[in-house]
């Protein structure tokens, strides 16, 4: 039986259309049909200048964990124009990006639970609540709750809000409460036998197939692929900090959930180190932006590809310049795009509920798939 | 079975402690950070009609009309199209355009969101807070020039 | 403290009405019919009022409590008038009938679902309110009748699923049938183990059998409710009942995130209200059966017998609360797992329970 799952379906996390062929309740074939959320992001970036105008747009790609996207653009533009970033700004960037990662993973855990439980159940609400706490902190820091626009070429736009102690206290409170909150999720979902029954051994993708589909991020790490750009291609302040890359060998929906939950712990670790560093930073060395010319015109025909580890995986940007202040070609390599297509391999022969669960565990953000 | 009971105990704990995370919105106004970016406020007294804001805006939200003497005649801002990136506030050398913390605005049709000079002037401060003090605009990075050729656009 | 013993042969509601209207003595057939009709009207409205409170208001409040939210509180005191607002909203919507719907079946399905649940209440002993016994009929085969009436709903779901001309609905309808067959049998087998004790299928008989004190601990007499006599059967029954009424973790026929509310997908406006009502009525009917069979019917301490309807309401609301609680914390199982649990788990256990009970009853009595 041919079944259209989407474009308007409660579990497609945006507007995604899955052309599914069913054999009874089992999935014989599934093909994601994307493009419903296409907003010409690449074209828009090509029509705007490097210096200021592109930066607001990356926030709109992966709109659940926005700051890593900004870093992707900042990194590519800074390397293209040889811009130095002050160390202090790098720490601010690292901290805010890890907050954004927690935000993204919270939502991923919540919506995954939603897909498995059905209805707006408690887990989803608790996840949103914890995400909200992060949003409050980031609102104090960046001035917005989702579309932060916090990064600038050569640094960030704002130093920590005054009074700094209050902000540190707020962050520390959050970090201290986080283990308890995570414990609650473990009580609620991961130790629940019915939940385990639903997720362990379903949506399996082995490391080799995952690599072939180009999966990155938590999806790849849940299949045992030890690949994290924060460590393998260090940027920002990551190589100075003490943290681990999380991997799991389960290859299934459950492993992907676990990776996300453990990554939240790692992010918390990173944040608390950043906070310690920021607190002791000498007052007269708090440079948040380096001197960047007003207009940036990189040499013609320079090509740069730089990637960062977004909440969903390797988020890369390719830019080719043509000597003007706007990119000639702006190409986004979005992790969700590749992750989504591995659904084909995951859902083969599974039941419809597991297809939905696998989709949820991939944590695709259609804004990033379609751009 | 133990896990299932544990999950049920967790939700029950939340149900019984009676605390709520949501607030009754219009009665309990949410805390808005001083940096929050909401609807713009324009000050004609300050504006020097340099058109930098119009230039920097990534999606042509601001439209400035000048007469042949380069005096400002119109200042239109489509707040329904704005992405609240605050670049206009950042470039404005005299703080003539500011993003207030006001996020409560409605309209029946989208074209009502095209605010002209007067409407922009009359945008109220949120809770009477002028966010400018707490924002400490640092324009060092904007005014200073990088090495190499100076480019005044 | 001891429980008030129930009257051996209480006067049923239609008879009470008939006496009030036409005095005693022999009644013409139309008089009896009218009295029965009025009685059914009263009971039906009590149940509808209860679902009215439960659906739009209580459900929101309960879910909100579990998820740390506030929920409705503006419309009327504690938001209670949301019931009116919701009714107006739902009834005011356009009734959209999909192209290619199988008309008579499509129209009948919501009626079947809602009315089958109401039908079940005919034989439930709901206790007394100011001395008036709220029970419509007390046939010999009461328990069998309740189960029969309740399972007609499955027919309605299958009709809705098939007649909607929608693949999701079809899947929902098929799932509903598979699930109901798998869980009806353990449900009835478990109830049968109770019947072994009571020796009767008559509802009043089952209630009466539970009024004896079981044992006394520290001055508190535990009545011989079957939930205390046979807790295992009680747990089995409650779980099977969750599946029977299609709540988490067994809400696969609806499964909004998988098959978009299944058989309800194509229904709107009045038809949707009927489905919605039917669903809540079913939860309450399930609660009523649990209360009658396992929790001593309307019996309870503190209140005089003439007011024990209150206890009945408390009991069925407790079951309703339980379904909502389960919904907040327990994931939905997959359809194949559901069938597996039904046939390989519940059925075996309920059979074992039945055999054990039979042996015990046989040895003891
Ligand atoms: S906030 Fe950004 S989008 Fe809005 S008017 Fe200013 S520059 Fe334009
Ligand atoms: S940048 Fe400021 S001063 Fe210049 S035109 Fe805009 S509002 Fe006026």
């Amino acid at each position: 039986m041919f079944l259209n799952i989407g474009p308007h379906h409660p579990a497609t996390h945006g507007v995604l259309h899955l052309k599914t062929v069913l054999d009874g309740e089992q999935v014989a074939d599934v093909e994601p049909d994307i493009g419903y959320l296409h907003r010409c992001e690449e074209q828009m970036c090509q029509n705007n200048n490097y210096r200021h105008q592109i930066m607001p747009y990356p926030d709109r790609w992966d709109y659940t964990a926005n700051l890593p996207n900004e870093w992707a653009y900042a990194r590519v533009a800074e390397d293209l124009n040889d811009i130095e970033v002050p160390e202090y700004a790098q720490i601010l960037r690292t901290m805010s990006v890890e907050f954004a990662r927690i935000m993204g993973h919270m939502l991923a855990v919540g919506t995954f639970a939603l897909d498995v439980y059905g209805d707006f159940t408690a887990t989803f609400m608790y996840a949103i609540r914890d995400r909200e706490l992060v949003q409050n902190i980031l609102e104090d820091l960046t001035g917005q709750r989702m579309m932060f626009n916090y990064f600038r070429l050569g640094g960030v736009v704002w130093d920590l809000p005054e009074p700094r102690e209050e902000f540190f206290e707020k962050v520390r409170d959050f970090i201290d409460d986080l283990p308890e909150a995570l414990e609650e999720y473990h009580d609620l979902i991961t130790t629940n036998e019915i939940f385990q029954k639903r997720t362990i051994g379903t949506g399996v993708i082995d490391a080799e197939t995952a690599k072939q589909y180009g999966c990155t991020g938590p999806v790849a790490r849940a299949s045992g692929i030890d690949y994290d750009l924060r460590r393998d291609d260090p940027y920002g302040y990551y190589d100075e900090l003490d943290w681990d890359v999380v991997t799991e060998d389960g290859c299934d929906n459950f492993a992907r959930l676990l990776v996300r939950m453990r990554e939240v712990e790692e992010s918390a670790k990173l944040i608390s180190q950043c906070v310690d560093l920021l607190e002791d930073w000498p007052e007269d060395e708090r440079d948040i932006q380096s001197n960047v010319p007003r207009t940036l015109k990189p040499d013609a025909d320079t090509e740069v590809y730089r990637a960062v580890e977004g909440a969903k995986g390797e988020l890369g940007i390719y830019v080719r310049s043509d000597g003007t202040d706007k990119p000639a070609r702006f190409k986004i390599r979005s992790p969700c795009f590749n992750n989504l297509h591995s659904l084909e391999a995951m859902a083969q022969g599974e039941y419809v509920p597991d297809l939905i669960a696998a989709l949820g565990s991939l944590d695709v953000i259609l804004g990033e798939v379609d751009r | 079975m133990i896990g299932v009971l544990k999950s049920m105990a967790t939700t029950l704990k939340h149900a019984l402690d009676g605390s709520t995370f949501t607030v009754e919105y219009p009665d309990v106004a949410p805390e808005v950070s001083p940096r929050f970016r909401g609807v713009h406020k324009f000050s004609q007294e300050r504006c020097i009609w340099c058109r930098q804001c119009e230039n920097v805006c990534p999606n042509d939200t601001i439209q400035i009309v000048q007469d042949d003497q380069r005096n400002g005649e119109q200042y239109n801002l489509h707040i329904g199209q704005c992405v609240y990136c605050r670049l206009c506030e950042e470039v404005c050398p005299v703080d003539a355009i500011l993003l207030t913390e006001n996020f409560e605005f409605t309209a029946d049709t989208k074209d009502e969101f095209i605010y002209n000079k007067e409407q922009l002037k009359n945008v109220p401060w949120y809770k009477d807070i002028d966010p400018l003090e707490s924002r400490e605009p640092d324009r060092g990075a904007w005014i200073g020039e990088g090495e190499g050729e100076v480019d005044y656009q | 403290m001891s429980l008030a013993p129930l009257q051996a042969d209480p006067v049923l509601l239609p008879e009470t009405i008939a006496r009030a209207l036409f005095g005693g003595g022999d009644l013409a057939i139309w008089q009896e019919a009218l009295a029965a009709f009025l009685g059914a009207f009263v009971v039906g409205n009590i149940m509808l009022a209860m679902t009215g409170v439960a659906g739009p208001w209580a459900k929101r409040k309960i879910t909100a409590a579990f998820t740390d939210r506030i929920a409705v509180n503006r419309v009327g005191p504690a938001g209670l008038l949301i019931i009116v607002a919701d009714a107006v909203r739902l009834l005011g919507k356009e009734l959209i009938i999909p192209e290619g719907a199988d008309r008579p079946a499509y129209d009948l399905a919501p009626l079947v679902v809602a009315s089958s649940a109401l039908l079940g209440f005919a034989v439930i002993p709901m206790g007394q309110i100011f001395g008036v016994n709220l029970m419509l009929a007390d046939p010999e085969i009461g328990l069998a009748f309740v189960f029969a009436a309740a399972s007609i709903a499955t027919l309605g779901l299958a009709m809705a699923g098939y007649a909607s001309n929608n693949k999701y609905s079809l899947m929902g309808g098929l799932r509903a049938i598979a699930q109901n067959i798998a869980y009806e049998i353990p449900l009835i087998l478990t109830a049968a183990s109770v019947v072994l004790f009571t020796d009767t299928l008559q509802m009043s008989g089952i209630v009466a059998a539970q009024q004896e004190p079981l044992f006394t601990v520290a001055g508190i007499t535990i009545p011989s409710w079957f939930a205390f006599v046979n807790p295992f059967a009680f747990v089995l029954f409650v779980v099977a009942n969750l599946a029977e009424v299609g709540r988490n973790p067994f809400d696969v026929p609806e499964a909004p995130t998988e098959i978009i509310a299944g058989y309800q997908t194509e229904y709107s406006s009045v038809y949707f209200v009927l489905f919605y009502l039917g669903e809540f009525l079913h939860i309450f009917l399930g609660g009523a059966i649990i209360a009658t069979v396992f929790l001593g019917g309307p019996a309870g301490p503190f209140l005089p017998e003439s007011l024990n309807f209150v206890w009945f309401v408390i009991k069925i609301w407790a079951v309703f609360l339980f379904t909502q609680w389960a919904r907040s914390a327990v994931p939905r199982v997959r359809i194949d797992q559901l069938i597996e649990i039904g046939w390989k788990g519940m059925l075996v256990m309920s059979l074992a329970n039945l055999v054990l009970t039979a042996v015990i009853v046989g040895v003891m009595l």
Side-chain angles (χ1 to χ4, degrees), chain B residues 42 47-53 64 75 91-94 96-97:
Chain B
F42 176 67
C47 180
I48 53 174
W49 302 101
C50 64
R51 301 187 84 149
Q52 294 213 61
C53 49
I64 292 175
Y75 190 102
V91 288
C92 181
V94 290
I97 185 93

Side-chain angles (χ1 to χ4, degrees), chain B residues 53-66:
Chain B
C53 49
E54 190 188 27
N55 242 322
V56 81
C57 180
N59 50 5
D60 300 336
T61 298
I62 302 174
Q63 184 210 20
I64 292 175
V65 180
Q66 291 177 324

Side-chain angles (χ1 to χ4, degrees), chain C residues 97-147:
Chain C
I97 292 164
E99 212 170 289
D102 195 344
R103 264 322 273 274
Y106 180 83
D107 299 318
L108 278 176
L111 282 175
V112 171
V113 172
S115 56
S116 72
L118 272 179
L119 200 59
F121 281 104
V123 296
I124 301 286
M126 296 202 238
Q128 307 186 352
I129 183 153
F130 301 116
V132 179
N133 188 15
L134 288 176
M135 186 176 185
L136 285 177
D138 194 12
E140 291 281 313
I141 46 140
L143 194 58
F145 175 81
V146 173
F147 284 124

